[in-house]
Amino acid sequence: MKRKYKVWIWMVLLTLLMSSLPSGVMANERYRVYSSIDNGFEICYPESWTLTEGFMGTVMTVVSPIPYRGSDMAVSYNVIVQDISSQGNYSIDQYTELTLNQLELMFTDPKIISVTDAPLGGIRGKEIIYAGTMGQFRLQWMCRFIFNNNKIYVITFGTTVKEFDKFKALGMDVMDSFELI
């Protein structure tokens, strides 16, 4: 009886541990956890990818090796954290509208594919999937963002339009691993 009880406890603990990790990253990749104490978050990313901190205003950027799973283009993620305490009281919907307007100005042939509610770190947020041309490349991104304690947290995953659906599940797993600390 005691042995069955111990086995059951170990199974429960293992299940809890496994369920707290992002499914696609866990199943297909070895991963690392990036923690930013200053910005109050953690996020998982594939171990074979290159991490750069502070690149072009991001807290962190992670880029896949090339080639990656048959792709001849890199797949990337970045996290931006911005203090918005001095910018007034934006609602998530107002920020979404502002972001959509900016996307129209940033890319050649921009296309908004979807705008939906999507949690990030357990907080109500938004997700925008969009495409646009940069130079000679037609790219597609998935962006999720939330407000928390006068900060906005923005995670963006991107690759080519052609490769986006192939890597979307991995992108969602990485975003789902995001936690406020």
Side-chain angles (χ1 to χ4, degrees):
M1 179 75 166
K2 275 187 170 183
R3 185 164 191 247
K4 284 184 182 180
Y5 183 70
K6 286 181 182 179
V7 169
W8 182 81
I9 288 174
W10 279 110
M11 288 177 66
V12 168
L13 289 173
L14 184 59
T15 301
L16 289 172
L17 174 65
M18 299 298 266
S19 67
S20 68
L21 299 173
S23 60
V25 173
M26 183 180 69
N28 299 316
E29 299 280 348
R30 294 180 61 115
Y31 65 93
R32 291 189 176 154
V33 177
Y34 175 85
S35 294
S36 175
I37 301 301
D38 291 342
N39 291 294
F41 75 90
E42 290 183 342
I43 191 167
C44 295
Y45 67 94
E47 183 178 63
S48 64
W49 294 27
T50 301
L51 169 70
T52 304
E53 294 179 292
F55 179 70
M56 295 183 70
T58 67
V59 174
M60 56 93 74
T61 299
V62 185
V63 179
S64 72
I66 301 172
Y68 180 71
R69 293 189 183 177
S71 174
D72 57 357
M73 287 289 293
V75 180
S76 67
Y77 302 90
N78 67 58
V79 179
I80 296 171
V81 179
Q82 186 176 10
D83 184 337
I84 56 171
S85 58
S86 66
Q87 298 178 14
N89 292 327
Y90 281 106
S91 71
I92 195 82
D93 293 324
Q94 289 170 319
Y95 187 82
T96 301
E97 191 62 36
L98 178 66
T99 300
L100 292 171
N101 291 335
Q102 291 297 313
L103 293 175
E104 295 287 330
L105 300 174
M106 292 173 58
F107 305 105
T108 305
D109 302 322
K111 178 181 179 190
I112 306 302
I113 297 164
S114 66
V115 179
T116 58
D117 290 334
L120 186 60
I123 295 175
R124 177 185 175 263
K126 289 288 186 177
E127 177 181 279
I128 301 172
I129 298 178
Y130 58 98
T133 302
M134 291 183 79
Q136 64 185 19
F137 300 106
R138 185 79 179 148
L139 303 174
Q140 188 166 337
W141 296 269
M142 175 171 43
C143 171
R144 286 190 190 173
F145 49 90
I146 58 169
F147 290 149
N148 189 58
N149 293 331
N150 290 319
K151 290 183 181 179
I152 186 155
Y153 293 82
V154 181
I155 302 176
T156 305
F157 149 75
T159 190
T160 64
V161 168
K162 177 180 145 190
E163 301 284 343
F164 186 83
D165 287 340
K166 179 178 179 178
F167 295 111
K168 184 178 178 184
L170 182 59
M172 292 174 71
D173 281 341
V174 170
M175 289 183 178
D176 289 344
S177 77
F178 178 88
E179 291 186 25
L180 295 170
I181 55 173

